[in-house]
Amino acid sequence: MKKQSFAVLGAGAVGGLYGAMLAKNGHDVHFLLRSDFEHVAANGFQIESRWGDFHLKQPNVYRNADELPACDVTLVGLKTVQNELLPEMLRSTMRDGGIALILQNGLGVEESLSEHFEPTKIFGGCCFLCSNKVGPGHIRHIDYGRIVFGPSHNTEGTLELAKEIESEFNAAGIEAQMSDDLSTVRWRKLMWNIPFNGLSVALDASTDRLIASEDSVTLIRDIITEVHHAGTHCGASIGEEWIEKTIDHTRTMVPYDSSMRLDYLAGRPMELDAILSNPLQAAKAAGIKMPKTEMLLQVLRFMQQSSRSRDGH
Amino acid sequence: MKKQSFAVLGAGAVGGLYGAMLAKNGHDVHFLLRSDFEHVAANGFQIESRWGDFHLKQPNVYRNADELPACDVTLVGLKTVQNELLPEMLRSTMRDGGIALILQNGLGVEESLSEHFEPTKIFGGCCFLCSNKVGPGHIRHIDYGRIVFGPSHNTEGTLELAKEIESEFNAAGIEAQMSDDLSTVRWRKLMWNIPFNGLSVALDASTDRLIASEDSVTLIRDIITEVHHAGTHCGASIGEEWIEKTIDHTRTMVPYDSSMRLDYLAGRPMELDAILSNPLQAAKAAGIKMPKTEMLLQVLRFMQQSSRSRDGH
């Protein structure tokens, strides 16, 4: 069987790591790059990973989505704040019937793409990993690493395809697990992302400091409980024990700056819509209030606005 | 009728202003000072006020509470974070049957003093003013200025005495208004203090910036609504229109750094118990949840702890 070909949109902490792992294992992988194009074209990818360090010397890199060949699977690792560009990019890489696997944070992206594409072509997944882009083409993957993913629309065909992708990921050394319940996967990730991404900015602290203080842990637990409650009413099946497990896993995690914190510190827009606003709207539609999550979004929006006006934007 | 004599504990933005106004009008006023003693003993008080600037040249100043004479009224303008010292100080200045008028922020101080003193001797009030101590003995009163105060225990005698104090304040040029409903006075002040003191620290912004952003105004309104709801269930009688009025008054206020923000920026402890924790406990006892107020306290406690560990305390 011919190995699947991959397009990778956004070769940062997620796309860079997984794309490079797949290329190393002999897959045909095509990377769309923006600011890092020159550097990666000249120097390749430098991957530091708990799965083993390596240097990917001559990746296939492109500046524009319409230069990429049509691929079997398009991995989307872009930040959601650029998602208005996504349908056009995907129309190019999916032109021969390939599928998209959305590895972005948050909620609502698969639904919004289903307006543009056959829903059976849209897959989504969550990456449970600590990984940062520390320089152009330079990825540092420091903890965890599992992808849990599945079709946005379960059919015999999409579930079969998910199984194939799962086994190709695993063959490439990527811990991957398919799921027939994408909503549960997304809400479980939100149970981490909402409190830890959000509070790392609101409280100006990395995970180790958030987890070391009784006051922040109480607040984290309150927010996780809200997310769990909302997810349950939005169709996710997550045992209540995941409230404490999510905290406990973070206790044993290496000190980590969340992507939202790095974005904020670098003056980039934060993924507030995907990670906070969309879940809040989904909860509201299900009749569920999330007051502390809502306050977190209000605080972060204020901070984002202040940071922009400070930078003169 | 002999003019009332006053002891003033804590000669900062509140005690310094009102004490100096009373002394200027011929009252016998005795100031307890700590760090500013030397400066004020040598230079007096410099008052810049919207009621008129003046220099109080030779105030009666003391280093220790037991050196002060017994006074008719002891004005308490200390920060609540030093309140463990208050009963002993008051035992000295109230020793001939005087009363205490607690001009501190927050909730619960009169109740805690009633364990140590005859409840009819304890009065409380709220100062609706923008005033800062800008240097030792140097007070800058920039906006508003009214004291609303009353007995913690209404009797014919305490209400009569409150009326006398009211007229002496007014004669001294201080806008003062007595009330027979101290609980309502305190909760109404909390409708400002909780959101504006708290968020000025949590969002690192003075009042003009808090009031300029739609996101922060929405959050402010949510928190004021919680405080109004809790106050109503704790016996305060505050019309619902005060939710918007509290915001509107702040719109026309001069840009102002709240006392909590000044404390935080200077590395001093914030008045979290009196302003946030005590109202939350009172609400809880009345069966009322205040999730955003609770989150604000959790955030501020984390920040206070972080700021202490940064300073090496």
Coordinates of all heavy atoms in Angstrom, one line a residue, chain B residues 13 70 96 111 125-126 141 145 185 190 237 240 255 261 289 295:
Chain B
A13 N -4.9 59.3 53.1 CA -5.7 60.0 52.1 C -7.1 60.4 52.8 O -7.7 61.4 52.4 CB -6.0 59.1 50.9
A70 N -7.8 61.1 75.6 CA -9.1 60.5 75.3 C -9.9 61.5 74.5 O -9.8 62.7 74.7 CB -9.9 60.2 76.6
D96 N -12.5 57.5 77.8 CA -13.5 58.3 78.6 C -14.9 58.3 78.0 O -15.6 59.2 78.2 CB -13.0 59.8 78.6 CG -12.0 60.0 79.7 OD1 -11.7 59.0 80.4 OD2 -11.4 61.1 79.8
E111 N -18.6 44.9 63.1 CA -19.0 43.7 63.8 C -17.9 43.1 64.6 O -18.1 42.7 65.8 CB -19.5 42.6 62.8 CG -20.8 42.9 62.1 CD -20.7 43.9 61.0 OE1 -19.7 44.6 60.8 OE2 -21.7 44.0 60.2
G125 N -18.6 54.5 58.6 CA -19.0 55.3 57.5 C -18.2 55.0 56.2 O -17.2 54.3 56.3
C126 N -18.7 55.5 55.1 CA -17.9 55.3 53.8 C -17.6 56.7 53.3 O -18.4 57.6 53.3 CB -18.8 54.5 52.8 SG -19.0 52.8 53.3
H141 N -6.6 65.7 47.3 CA -8.0 65.3 47.2 C -8.5 65.8 45.9 O -8.7 67.0 45.7 CB -8.7 65.9 48.4 CG -10.2 65.9 48.3 ND1 -11.0 66.9 48.8 CD2 -11.1 65.0 47.7 CE1 -12.3 66.6 48.5 NE2 -12.4 65.5 47.9
G145 N -16.0 63.6 47.8 CA -15.5 63.9 49.1 C -16.5 63.6 50.2 O -16.1 63.7 51.4
V185 N -25.3 51.6 53.4 CA -24.1 52.5 53.0 C -22.9 51.7 52.6 O -22.3 51.9 51.6 CB -23.8 53.4 54.2 CG1 -22.5 54.3 53.9 CG2 -24.9 54.3 54.5
L190 N -19.4 49.1 48.4 CA -18.8 47.9 47.9 C -19.1 47.8 46.4 O -18.3 47.2 45.6 CB -19.3 46.7 48.6 CG -18.8 46.5 50.0 CD1 -19.5 45.4 50.8 CD2 -17.3 46.2 50.0
S237 N -30.8 48.1 51.2 CA -31.9 48.6 50.4 C -31.3 49.5 49.3 O -31.1 50.7 49.5 CB -32.9 49.4 51.1 OG -33.2 48.7 52.4
E240 N -32.1 49.2 42.0 CA -31.4 48.6 40.9 C -30.7 49.6 40.0 O -29.7 49.3 39.4 CB -32.3 47.7 40.1 CG -31.7 46.4 39.7 CD -32.8 45.4 39.2 OE1 -33.8 45.2 39.9 OE2 -32.6 44.9 38.1
P255 N -9.4 60.5 36.1 CA -8.7 59.3 36.1 C -8.0 59.0 37.5 O -7.4 60.0 38.0 CB -7.6 59.5 35.0 CG -8.1 60.5 34.1 CD -9.0 61.4 35.0
R261 N -4.9 49.5 44.1 CA -3.9 49.5 43.0 C -2.6 50.2 43.5 O -1.5 49.7 43.2 CB -4.5 50.3 41.8 CG -3.5 50.4 40.6 CD -4.2 50.8 39.4 NE -3.4 51.5 38.4 CZ -2.5 50.8 37.6 NH1 -2.4 49.5 37.6 NH2 -1.8 51.5 36.7
K289 N -24.6 33.2 45.6 CA -23.3 33.0 44.9 C -22.8 34.2 44.2 O -23.6 34.9 43.6 CB -23.4 31.8 43.9 CG -23.4 30.5 44.5 CD -23.4 29.4 43.5 CE -23.5 28.0 44.2 NZ -23.7 26.9 43.3
M295 N -14.0 34.9 41.8 CA -12.8 34.7 40.9 C -11.9 35.9 41.0 O -10.6 35.7 41.0 CB -13.3 34.6 39.4 CG -12.2 34.5 38.4 SD -12.7 33.8 36.9 CE -11.4 34.2 35.7

